[in-house]
Amino acid sequence: MIDDPILLHDWHIIARTSELAGEPKAVRLLDHELVLWRSSDGLHAWHDLCLHRGSRLSGGRVKGDCLACPYHGWEYNGSGQCVRIPAHPDQPPPARAQATVYAVQEKYGHVWVCLGTPAHGVPEFAEWYDTSFIKVASGPYLFRAHGPRVIENFLDVAHFPFVHAGFLGDPSHTEIGDYEVEVSAEGIIARDIPAWQPDPDGTGRPAMVRYTFEVPRPLVSSLRKVHGKNCFSIFAAVTPAADRESIAWLILALNYAKDTPAEELVRFQDIVSHQDIPIVESQRPELLPLDLQAELHLRSDRTAIAYRQWLKKLGLRHGTA
């Protein structure tokens, strides 16, 4: 398992809620194998292991309000306790036949799991509760890179004219105006970053927009892009599935163009994300340097600088150097 106390006691997305209507689902978090399943009591997240002969419970089936192992049919109730052994139906199962149970909750249409003791709540996404915004889930996107590199790319506006030319940027308008970043114990906020875009709201007219980024947790961030009264937001959670294997889950929210099909919004985000993936995967060193002397920095990198300084203060180990 990835050894990082900060991430161990944090919440991470591991699935969409809609994926858990029937059979158990195998997922990986912090290089740890989990099984997700649902009973009438709610959603459950356990270590994917039957203690009898080590088979994966995710290969079993939901039987009433129990999860039955695929190997010998041992049945575990919602609390993780084995309550029936088919080979010896009259024998009470041993107390040690108890699955390892993890904290789990559903929020923003996604399943969140914490492998340790939650040190914080799931970060807030204000647009989720604002009825003037439509919300669309996008991803998941697999990055064969460490999570901090993925988040730092999400925070970077200066790469838009080059990596996302014609979509989020224009090579003839590359300058990034000045802005400030606030750092606190709760995270970082970079407000009103000016950037030129060829078509910021689907009208086909280029314009200067302003971005605000928030980073409330090491691997969770959000952006808000404002152009006049139009606002487009993204909530991004990056899940450290395994070493150099990060999964980005995005929620898009906008208060305009509400007749735009969800498929079209997702298709646009798919293009942008798949432009980012090879860039992030190619970055060296693979571990994000927290020593600011290790790489060169400019005024436009203020958000990234603050992010690195904050991660160093938190003591994040995974994906950093």
Side-chain angles (χ1 to χ4, degrees):
M1 188 166 70
I2 293 173
D3 180 23
D4 190 307
I6 300 296
L7 299 181
L8 178 68
H9 300 297
D10 219 339
W11 291 99
H12 306 278
I13 292 179
I14 56 174
R16 289 185 185 172
T17 300
S18 58
E19 296 180 275
L20 300 172
E23 295 307 305
K25 180 179 179 63
V27 297
R28 184 177 290 272
L29 173 61
L30 295 173
D31 214 10
H32 198 74
E33 294 175 343
L34 306 183
V35 57
L36 295 178
W37 68 287
R38 190 184 296 279
S39 71
S40 63
D41 297 328
L43 190 60
H44 310 283
W46 300 348
H47 181 34
D48 194 4
L49 179 75
C50 177
L51 296 177
H52 176 221
R53 287 294 181 267
S55 60
R56 293 187 177 184
L57 292 170
S58 58
R61 63 189 180 92
V62 178
K63 187 177 179 181
D65 279 335
C66 291
L67 179 58
C69 173
Y71 197 7
H72 297 94
W74 286 31
E75 297 177 20
Y76 296 81
N77 66 15
S79 65
Q81 181 65 50
C82 180
V83 294
R84 184 173 183 271
I85 300 175
H88 305 281
D90 297 326
Q91 175 182 318
R96 289 181 55 228
Q98 166 71 47
T100 301
V101 177
Y102 299 113
V104 61
Q105 62 173 301
E106 299 175 63
K107 197 167 187 178
Y108 313 137
H110 291 76
V111 178
W112 298 74
V113 168
C114 176
L115 296 184
T117 302
H120 304 269
V122 171
E124 289 300 312
F125 180 40
E127 284 80 355
W128 182 263
Y129 307 101
D130 190 332
T131 57
S132 68
F133 283 79
I134 60 172
K135 275 76 71 171
V136 177
S138 178
Y141 304 106
L142 173 63
F143 287 76
R144 298 199 180 278
H146 295 293
R149 281 289 193 189
V150 181
I151 288 291
E152 188 175 87
N153 173 77
F154 181 77
L155 302 174
D156 188 296
V157 175
H159 79 280
F160 288 179
F162 306 98
V163 180
H164 308 301
F167 293 92
L168 299 180
D170 182 342
S172 64
H173 294 272
T174 59
E175 184 175 356
I176 302 299
D178 202 9
Y179 65 94
E180 297 296 330
V181 182
E182 297 178 13
V183 182
S184 69
E186 287 71 39
I188 66 174
I189 301 178
R191 289 190 174 90
D192 296 327
I193 304 174
W196 181 267
Q197 291 196 327
D199 186 9
D201 52 14
T203 62
R205 295 189 296 270
M208 184 69 73
V209 300
R210 291 191 174 268
Y211 279 88
T212 293
F213 292 92
E214 295 189 40
V215 187
R217 300 302 306 144
L219 297 183
V220 175
S221 182
S222 64
L223 69 78
R224 172 176 280 215
K225 179 179 72 176
V226 176
H227 173 223
K229 294 182 179 180
N230 294 343
C231 179
F232 175 79
S233 295
I234 299 180
F235 180 90
V238 176
T239 299
D243 190 52
R244 290 192 72 247
E245 186 175 311
S246 303
I247 301 174
W249 306 82
L250 307 184
I251 304 173
L252 318 178
L254 59 160
N255 66 357
Y256 60 94
K258 297 183 180 181
D259 57 344
T260 304
E263 295 79 7
E264 184 175 328
L265 296 172
V266 171
R267 184 166 53 251
F268 183 90
Q269 188 59 48
D270 285 348
I271 292 172
V272 170
S273 294
H274 285 104
Q275 290 173 334
D276 280 325
I277 288 172
I279 296 293
V280 175
E281 291 183 343
S282 73
Q283 286 183 282
R284 299 293 182 270
E286 295 173 354
L287 300 178
L288 186 72
L290 300 188
D291 179 359
L292 297 183
Q293 300 302 314
E295 292 183 331
L296 300 177
H297 306 281
L298 302 170
R299 185 178 65 245
S300 55
D301 297 318
R302 281 179 176 163
T303 310
I305 293 170
Y307 178 58
R308 295 185 185 196
Q309 291 174 325
W310 183 60
L311 292 185
K312 186 174 183 178
K313 187 174 181 179
L314 287 179
L316 186 75
R317 299 176 188 170
H318 176 66
T320 64

